[in-house]
Amino acid sequence: MAITFQLNGKKQTLEVEAEMPLLWALRDVVGLTGTKYGCGMALCGACTVHVNGEPVRACVTPVATVAGKNITTIEAAVETKLGKVVREAWIEAQVPQCGYCQSGQIMSATALLSKNKKPTDADIDTAMAGNICRCGTYNAIRAAIKDAAQKLA
Amino acid sequence: MDITLLKLLNTPNSSVNKGQNRRDFLKTSALASSGLVIGFYLSGGNKIASAQQPPKANASPNAFLRITKDGAVTVQVKHLEFGQGVMTSLPMMVAEELDCDWTKVRAELAPANAVYAHTMFGMQMTGGSSSVINSWTQMRTVGATARAMLVSAAAQKWKVKPEQCRAENGVVIGPAGQRAPFGQLADAANKLDTPQKVTLKNTKDFKLIGKPTRRLDSAVKVNGSAMFGMDITAKQVPNLHVALVKRPPAFGGTVKSFNVDKVKGIPGVTHVVQTANGVAVVAKSFWAAKTGRDALVVEWDLESASKATTAMMQASYRETALKPGLPTGKVSDGAALNNLKAAGKTVTAEFEMPYLAHAPMEPLNCTVKFDGDSCEIWVGTQFQTVDQGAAAKVAGLKPEQVKINTMIAGGGFGRRANPASDYIIEAVEIAKQAKVPVKTVWTREDDIKGGYYRPMFVHRVTAGVDAAGKIAGWDHTIVGQSIIGGTAFEPMMVKGGIDSTSVEGVTDTPYEIPNMNVTLHTTKTGVPVLWWRSVGHTHTAFAMESMMDDLAKQAGKDPVEFRREYLAKHPRILKVLNTAAEKSGWGSALPTGRARGIAVHESFGSVCAHVAEVSVEKGQIKVHRVTSAIDCGLAVNPLSIVAQVEGAMVFGLSAALYGKVTLKDGVVDQSNFHDYPMLRLAEMPKIDVHIIDSGASSPTGVGEPGTPPIAPAVANAVFALTGKRLRTLPFNLDEVSKA
Ligand code: FES
Ligand code: FES
């Protein structure tokens, strides 16, 4: 079926199965591969995108449910004013190792910072709880979020 | 340091293409018409031993270094980048000797080619924490050779002697202050003979090596543009299909029959093909392939499949451990063991470690385009040479007809270095039958259930201290599967029935333990096993360092003091131990409810110690802080080293707290991150990593040595806090809460 939504600020119409997860619609149909697959069960956060500004696990989100909504993926999220600050903070803290989880980490972090200008450690713990990093970059992630918050203040 | 480049043509080697002269080889590439391209092959002993098959003209510019007219310096990185930072550390070594402008340096992953062989292991591979050390002389020589040629080109241009010129920050400077950027000299340099001899810098003259240096791959890893193997789409490989494979429920099962009735008509599904290990559904997208696989009905023949049940294996391993196994390199006579029995205080301990999955963040995948007489593969692999050979066999081609494009990988931890090339062979089988380009993708469930685990082990140790508080003897029996047995590495790594990876870290312990006797029982279970970040040290360090702690208690000594007594001849290890202890505030007071534990372990040529500060709350172990020290020889990139020690520590901590794969009747119980959990951000301890400035002139391993000591450090801290010894991994929280 044809499903239309806003993708990174542009209208996108896809001819896909209604129950195909948004993740695979983005990766295999649109060809945007910045959003990653890690578990397919909303357990790792690698696939995090923003749906109307909220962080959502694209791997368990049937594409039909986002019809008419605003989807932002990593490719566009790091180009906003806030996103650029976060991206630079990530480089400053030298966060990525293998890098595979980092799209999802950054999507969770930008969602947090867009609502909470001064996240506490506990806020960061909660916002990032759904994102696994197998390389163990967690302390660098925390430092980068705090650094970005400071720069955005 | 002088490096003599042997005359390749004089080196008898059947694989040398006799029609190719040395200079052609050194400056391989049809594309060399623009800019300087340098590549050569160093083998053991740091001599150029043989030029293997030079790359075909249509291959990518197979060389280590390319300098183009715009001054860009591109380094071909022969190892897999999977987080450890080789795309930065290897270019640093080249750039150091090249004296180029670091901001102009780029890194690319090299394809499979003999020129990129590991200088110690003779095949292209990434493992054993050896990427930096085996490239150490090779990459610096590449840089120094190119610099010499650029300087010569400038000297010719200015009609002066090369000795009158020097290179600095990407520019050659002449005696009269003439300046020529590398890019402008590259073409002329490429026409010169390659120098036979270059001089490498003294370590004290390093400008880049040893400086905290940011990764070259950061930018693409924060905006979603980094291309992992998983990210190959029809944009890169037109008409790309996706395959998922239904594999047997128990290892060793085979397909009896399969029924595609329910698969037919699923939109996007194009093929169903049988492989040696299952049935693949090929489709236009992952989702279609998954839907097809869910609908596929396969009848399995499980007659000869593994019936392994880990609960029963635990009991049988424990029983086996009661009898001595095959003698290892550490043998003590019976009298010595009697000595032990007569010792004042003995401890008998059983340590139990489960199967572990690698669970790299990027699930396994492999893209194959098979054209009948050639095969192109895109894959994140640690084992290019082995995979190329295996793929060729399945494809019915010669290895040189198989092109492997090495993709950056989302972790690997050993899983992408499989002597059986399992996920590559399978992907080739599928593409060959489907006759379309196919990306075979593993789901997380496939990954966790797919085998090639860190083997399950039981260690049984009886050790004791005499009245003077000295170790009287140590009797150690190890039970578990061999990782190496049955692979091509067996002749090299299994001696007298002893797989060195089963006993490393025990038989070669640096502790001077009198009367130490170590034996090994090698089991067979049908569950496929593989090296997992730090290999044998993952289990041996736990047994050794827990035991040392226990004996310190028996001797009534402080755990650090006690260890020092047995390390008198090992100043390097002592320094690491002492540094970690001191920086952690060892011996100073902690808030109530907290305690410290320490462990130190040598692996991959390096020594790492962790001090863990823990509390136990509501039956949960909480690790608040880890203080680490590492001696990894000459520290090439301190930023990478800190990141790797942190990462390796977390990797070990996840396993110690949560990691286990269990089986019932051959079927794996776990499937995804809910039942094979990893540490999350909120649980992450603070960590301080101290790199020992050892004054060494060459580097040692970094990627793995941080893993082994964390489990024992935490167990020792829990012991200090509760008096309860945790000897089973993952830690059994019930045991703690009862304490
Ligand atoms: S892939 Fe969606 S949460 Fe893991
Ligand atoms: S950087 Fe590798 S999984 Fe996070």
Side-chain angles (χ1 to χ4, degrees):
Chain A
M1 73 187 262
I3 292 153
T4 302
F5 51 88
Q6 289 287 116
L7 177 59
N8 295 333
K10 283 197 211 96
K11 191 172 149 189
Q12 179 87 50
T13 301
L14 298 179
E15 195 58 52
V16 287
E17 307 301 302
E19 63 277 16
M20 179 188 277
L22 176 60
L23 171 65
W24 299 109
L26 291 170
R27 291 182 55 87
D28 287 350
V29 185
V30 183
L32 272 186
T33 53
T35 308
K36 303 299 185 201
Y37 165 69
C39 70
M41 282 180 67
L43 296 167
C44 78
C47 64
T48 307
V49 299
H50 297 169
V51 177
N52 290 348
E54 294 293 328
V56 161
R57 313 297 177 211
C59 66
V60 292
T61 305
V63 66
T65 65
V66 303
K69 297 190 176 158
N70 282 319
I71 312 296
T72 309
T73 66
I74 181 75
E75 286 87 351
V78 291
E79 297 302 334
T80 65
K81 186 168 157 260
L82 184 147
K84 279 183 184 153
V85 173
V86 172
R87 186 178 80 187
E88 289 315 307
W90 239 248
I91 292 177
E92 196 70 30
Q94 286 287 290
V95 178
Q97 289 191 22
C98 84
Y100 193 79
C101 73
Q102 299 298 341
S103 295
Q105 306 279 4
I106 291 172
M107 294 307 283
S108 291
T110 50
L112 166 70
L113 289 167
S114 67
K115 291 204 194 73
N116 183 341
K117 300 287 169 219
K118 266 180 123 180
T120 61
D121 276 324
D123 295 337
I124 295 173
D125 287 352
T126 309
M128 306 305 290
N131 291 83
I132 291 176
C133 174
R134 185 64 164 145
C135 297
T137 66
Y138 297 123
N139 287 349
I141 289 173
R142 188 188 297 281
I145 293 174
K146 288 184 173 174
D147 177 43
Q150 223 161 43
K151 290 194 172 123
L152 288 163
Chain B
M1 196 193 310
D2 277 344
I3 299 299
T4 307
L5 307 182
L6 293 188
K7 287 199 175 69
L8 289 172
L9 282 178
N10 297 342
T11 312
N13 185 309
S14 59
S15 63
V16 174
N17 180 338
K18 297 289 193 292
Q20 188 89 15
N21 74 31
R22 176 170 167 274
R23 195 186 133 203
D24 284 347
F25 178 70
L26 283 171
K27 295 182 291 172
T28 47
S29 179
L31 303 184
S33 55
S34 177
L36 174 62
V37 180
I38 298 251
F40 48 70
Y41 178 65
L42 289 165
S43 82
N46 298 329
K47 286 175 295 198
I48 287 191
S50 67
Q52 304 275 330
Q53 188 81 16
K56 303 274 178 301
N58 65 354
S60 68
N62 274 331
F64 287 114
L65 176 64
R66 209 162 67 233
I67 300 173
T68 40
K69 283 184 182 149
D70 57 1
V73 172
T74 305
V75 176
Q76 291 278 317
V77 175
K78 62 178 186 160
H79 290 287
L80 174 66
E81 174 63 70
F82 54 162
Q84 85 284 40
V86 284
M87 280 181 102
T88 308
S89 49
L90 266 56
M92 281 173 75
M93 297 179 214
V94 175
E96 177 66 62
E97 294 290 341
L98 183 57
D99 284 317
C100 61
D101 175 356
W102 177 247
T103 64
K104 297 250 170 80
V105 177
R106 313 277 174 271
E108 285 174 4
L109 289 190
N113 191 292
V115 73
Y116 299 120
H118 191 291
T119 61
M120 286 128 94
F121 303 137
M123 59 181 229
Q124 191 177 356
M125 60 154 287
T126 302
S129 295
S130 61
S131 298
V132 164
I133 178 62
N134 97 92
S135 308
W136 176 239
T137 300
Q138 185 184 40
M139 287 300 107
R140 287 182 304 142
T141 305
V142 165
T145 305
R147 180 191 53 194
M149 293 167 79
L150 292 160
V151 166
S152 290
Q156 276 186 9
K157 177 174 156 161
W158 298 324
K159 302 198 169 43
V160 298
K161 291 208 177 77
E163 301 81 72
Q164 295 175 279
C165 307
R166 66 197 162 86
E168 201 181 287
N169 208 27
V171 178
V172 180
I173 301 166
Q178 307 97 315
R179 295 174 67 86
F182 284 2
Q184 284 174 22
L185 296 167
D187 273 351
N190 202 47
K191 297 194 181 84
L192 301 175
D193 278 336
T194 309
Q196 297 292 304
K197 211 175 150 168
V198 291
T199 305
L200 299 182
K201 287 182 186 172
N202 263 316
T203 52
K204 67 171 170 39
D205 297 323
F206 286 162
K207 293 195 185 81
L208 188 58
I209 291 174
K211 300 277 171 313
T213 304
R214 287 188 178 184
R215 299 176 64 119
L216 294 177
D217 58 357
S218 298
V220 295
K221 287 180 174 177
V222 298
N223 65 7
S225 69
M227 278 280 294
F228 296 85
M230 190 69 98
D231 300 330
I232 296 284
T233 65
K235 280 186 200 162
Q236 292 80 30
V237 183
N239 194 31
L240 184 68
H241 287 57
V242 178
L244 264 68
V245 181
K246 202 166 209 150
R247 300 182 186 84
F251 300 112
T254 52
V255 177
K256 205 183 266 172
S257 65
F258 61 95
N259 184 326
V260 296
D261 289 351
K262 294 202 181 101
V263 185
K264 281 184 191 151
I266 292 178
V269 173
T270 56
H271 311 69
V272 177
V273 300
Q274 190 176 341
T275 67
N277 190 37
V279 182
V281 177
V282 183
K284 293 285 193 191
S285 71
F286 174 96
W287 191 247
K290 176 156 188 313
T291 313
R293 184 175 76 168
D294 290 347
L296 179 72
V297 179
V298 181
E299 208 189 318
W300 302 101
D301 180 350
L302 298 175
E303 194 90 352
S304 51
S306 167
K307 311 276 184 304
T309 296
T310 41
M312 280 158 70
M313 285 166 61
Q314 278 162 359
S316 88
Y317 276 31
R318 280 176 187 260
E319 202 175 308
T320 305
L322 294 172
K323 293 162 292 190
L326 270 184
T328 65
K330 268 273 196 246
V331 196
S332 184
D333 58 29
L337 293 178
N338 284 335
N339 235 9
L340 167 60
K341 285 188 195 112
K345 293 169 183 164
T346 63
V347 185
T348 294
E350 277 173 335
F351 298 93
E352 212 178 281
M353 302 80 160
Y355 285 115
L356 291 171
H358 303 74
M361 207 67 218
E362 177 195 11
L364 297 176
N365 61 86
C366 178
T367 297
V368 179
K369 185 165 156 259
F370 178 74
D371 291 333
D373 57 1
S374 74
C375 181
E376 186 166 3
I377 298 177
W378 291 259
V379 66
T381 173
Q382 297 173 245
F383 252 25
Q384 289 95 332
T385 306
V386 169
D387 292 343
Q388 191 178 33
K393 220 167 169 186
V394 177
L397 300 170
K398 298 197 190 80
E400 55 270 26
Q401 290 171 296
V402 175
K403 182 179 178 196
I404 295 187
N405 303 291
T406 311
M407 305 301 293
I408 59 168
F413 316 114
R415 181 63 181 90
R416 299 179 198 272
N418 190 349
S421 298
D422 66 323
Y423 65 104
I424 285 96
I425 288 178
E426 184 182 64
V428 175
E429 283 183 277
I430 295 166
K432 190 177 173 183
Q433 293 183 70
K435 300 191 171 62
V436 290
V438 181
K439 173 168 70 175
T440 300
V441 174
W442 292 50
T443 61
R444 178 60 60 196
E445 289 79 7
D446 297 338
D447 172 58
I448 302 288
K449 290 188 176 294
Y452 296 104
Y453 304 126
R454 193 289 301 273
M456 183 179 147
F457 271 92
V458 164
H459 289 230
R460 184 184 171 89
V461 189
T462 300
V465 294
D466 60 21
K470 293 282 179 196
I471 299 178
W474 185 300
D475 191 27
H476 197 139
T477 305
I478 301 174
V479 184
Q481 281 169 267
S482 167
I483 294 171
I484 306 294
T487 73
F489 297 89
E490 187 167 337
M492 203 167 56
M493 294 168 77
V494 181
K495 297 270 155 71
I498 305 294
D499 177 341
S500 57
T501 72
S502 297
V503 299
E504 60 184 3
V506 176
T507 51
D508 53 356
T509 180
Y511 289 126
E512 280 167 69
I513 300 169
N515 306 321
M516 190 174 185
N517 188 56
V518 185
T519 69
L520 171 71
H521 295 275
T522 299
T523 58
K524 286 209 160 54
T525 72
V527 179
V529 293
L530 192 58
W531 23 55
W532 185 99
R533 197 173 194 170
S534 77
V535 199
H537 301 282
T538 56
H539 53 96
T540 58
F542 183 57
M544 290 302 296
E545 282 301 274
S546 297
M547 244 5 245
M548 284 301 281
D549 222 67
D550 233 337
L551 293 181
K553 175 80 177 175
Q554 300 298 325
K557 291 181 185 162
D558 171 80
V560 175
E561 277 300 321
F562 185 74
R563 283 175 173 81
R564 281 186 195 132
E565 290 174 21
Y566 298 90
L567 292 169
K569 292 191 190 133
H570 298 276
R572 187 178 180 221
I573 303 175
L574 268 176
K575 189 158 184 190
V576 173
L577 176 74
N578 290 338
T579 304
E582 182 193 313
K583 300 285 183 186
S584 72
W586 187 261
S588 67
L590 281 170
T592 0
R594 288 209 193 172
R596 295 185 189 96
I598 194 164
V600 61
H601 194 76
E602 186 175 25
S603 61
F604 307 95
S606 295
V607 183
C608 183
H610 295 306
V611 175
E613 192 181 311
V614 311
S615 65
V616 176
E617 288 151 28
K618 300 186 199 116
Q620 298 267 344
I621 298 170
K622 170 119 180 109
V623 182
H624 297 270
R625 174 181 286 277
V626 175
T627 309
S628 310
I630 184 165
D631 184 333
C632 52
L634 186 146
V636 172
N637 185 359
L639 287 184
S640 273
I641 294 165
V642 169
Q644 283 303 293
V645 172
E646 275 197 42
M649 185 281 289
V650 180
F651 199 81
L653 187 56
S654 275
L657 295 177
Y658 306 120
K660 77 173 160 192
V661 169
T662 55
L663 297 97
K664 256 183 231 87
D665 299 324
V667 178
V668 175
D669 294 319
Q670 292 73 19
S671 63
N672 207 317
F673 293 127
H674 62 292
D675 50 13
Y676 192 75
M678 340 239 111
L679 209 78
R680 288 174 188 263
L681 184 133
E683 302 161 273
M684 179 73 186
K686 294 201 167 58
I687 171 165
D688 300 298
V689 179
H690 302 275
I691 302 171
I692 306 288
D693 181 4
S694 61
S697 59
S698 59
T700 52
V702 167
E704 295 167 275
T707 298
I710 188 62
V714 172
N716 294 341
V718 172
F719 177 68
L721 186 69
T722 66
K724 179 100 198 154
R725 273 271 153 220
L726 297 175
R727 296 191 178 114
T728 298
L729 291 176
F731 299 132
N732 185 341
L733 301 178
D734 295 339
E735 285 178 30
V736 179
S737 58
K738 271 187 254 143

